Amino acid sequence: MDSLYLDHNASAPLRREAYEAMRPWLEKRQANASSLHKAGQAARAAIESVRDGAAKALGAWPEEIFFTSGATEACNLALLAAVEDGRWALCFSQAEHPAVLQTAAALAAKGCAVKALRVTPQGSVDLEHLRAELKASPGAVLACMHANNETGSLNPIEEIARSAHQGGGLFFCDITQSLAKTPLDLHALDIDLAAASAHKFGGPQGVGILFKRRSLRLAARLFGGGQEQGLRPGTENLPGIVGMGAALEAGLSGLATQARAWSEAREHLALGLKRLWPQALIHGGDAVLANTLSVSFLGLEKDTLLMKLDQMGLQASAGSACAAGASQPSHVLEAMGVGPAAMNSVIRFSFGAAQGPQEAAEALKRIGQALADLRSAGLIPA
Ligand SMILES: Cc1ncc(COP(=O)(O)O)c(C=O)c1O
């Protein structure tokens, strides 16, 4: 049976365009982009061309784009530097990725004031609580993701940026799940700092982007050869950066059509699941990423269904990959007030490039068969 991969929020397969763009650099053209010979200059030109493309795609200036090893590094670097360079206070949504939550914990251990912001039952940050806390900590750094990796819930970024800046604060936005899935203009959204990872949109793993508004000065946390304006020194991951650039370009071209196909697929899957399992509970409210469907199969145990689906060639996950690997309850659903029964039966389906209603229909077929098999094996009630 063909594999049906619906776990793109964990990691998307490498896009053909990214592979083709990386190949020459992996096979024979690798050189240090800081070298002055022709090969070095070609490497530098390739990196700067990706920087230009990424800046254009994000509504930013090229000098505002810094290449990192991924979103985790970008989140750490942005928050450690922004908070420790004189602000000393951080407010963050409880639904953030561990890359933000654990950085907040590290800052708290160093004596910084950190405050977790409540999340609504729909999974977006509680705006009233956010405003109240920002009022109490003027000038704080605010960390609030654009789209949640587990539920797809979207935060109202413009409104959040306005609140952050009203008290003279800074706004950090984790755009890891929304980049190349929904249009983004970082300047128009008034974002000061942002983080993303290439493998979420079909680039290679281990490479990502830190965006830093050019008027903002941050002190480095790593020291070395001065690359990336000294903020992120170390020889650049040339093939990785080139692959990321190609994946970003491919992901953004035809995004409107792709997003419509995801929306249709999501709706089709949600309706079909309700028919197959009437107790199904969809998470995330109305403002969600088109490619993500988080659903609790109340009365079922998530690992039983996930394993059965995997045997049938359908790969999905129980919330985030990290939480699933560690088999821990989801902190995101917990923050949304979701109870243990729903938490223990949650499965996330996330669509990727070139997928749409056809994949949703195939998924429904396999899920229906999986439920029938589990029923006849006596593993779920008849
Ligand atoms: C919202 C979000 N932020 C940050 C990360 C971290 O990305 P990486 O593991 O590629 O550094 C992820 C990955 O799951 C994510 O979904």
Side-chain angles (χ1 to χ4, degrees), residues 9-11 68-75 95-100 145-150 172 174-178 181 195-200 204-208 320-322 348:
N9 286 13
S11 199
T68 66
S69 64
T72 299
E73 186 191 344
C75 292
E96 294 298 298
H97 187 273
V100 169
M145 68 206 323
H146 187 197
N148 185 268
N149 44 308
E150 294 189 26
F172 165 82
D174 180 351
I175 57 167
T176 306
Q177 290 294 345
S178 57
K181 290 185 195 152
S197 253
H199 69 106
K200 304 293 184 180
Q205 296 178 343
V207 59
S320 86
C322 322
R348 175 188 68 188

Side-chain angles (χ1 to χ4, degrees), residues 145-222:
M145 68 206 323
H146 187 197
N148 185 268
N149 44 308
E150 294 189 26
T151 59
S153 301
L154 291 164
N155 276 314
I157 293 305
E158 277 167 298
E159 216 170 326
I160 290 171
R162 217 173 302 126
S163 302
H165 293 139
Q166 256 160 17
L170 283 180
F171 178 35
F172 165 82
C173 189
D174 180 351
I175 57 167
T176 306
Q177 290 294 345
S178 57
L179 181 55
K181 290 185 195 152
T182 189
L184 267 174
D185 183 326
L186 299 181
H187 283 177
L189 291 167
D190 216 6
I191 291 171
D192 299 303
L193 291 154
S197 253
H199 69 106
K200 304 293 184 180
F201 52 84
Q205 296 178 343
V207 59
I209 287 175
L210 165 69
F211 159 83
K212 178 184 75 67
R213 188 181 280 284
R214 62 181 169 180
S215 56
L216 184 64
R217 297 265 166 271
L218 291 187
R221 288 315 188 252
L222 291 172

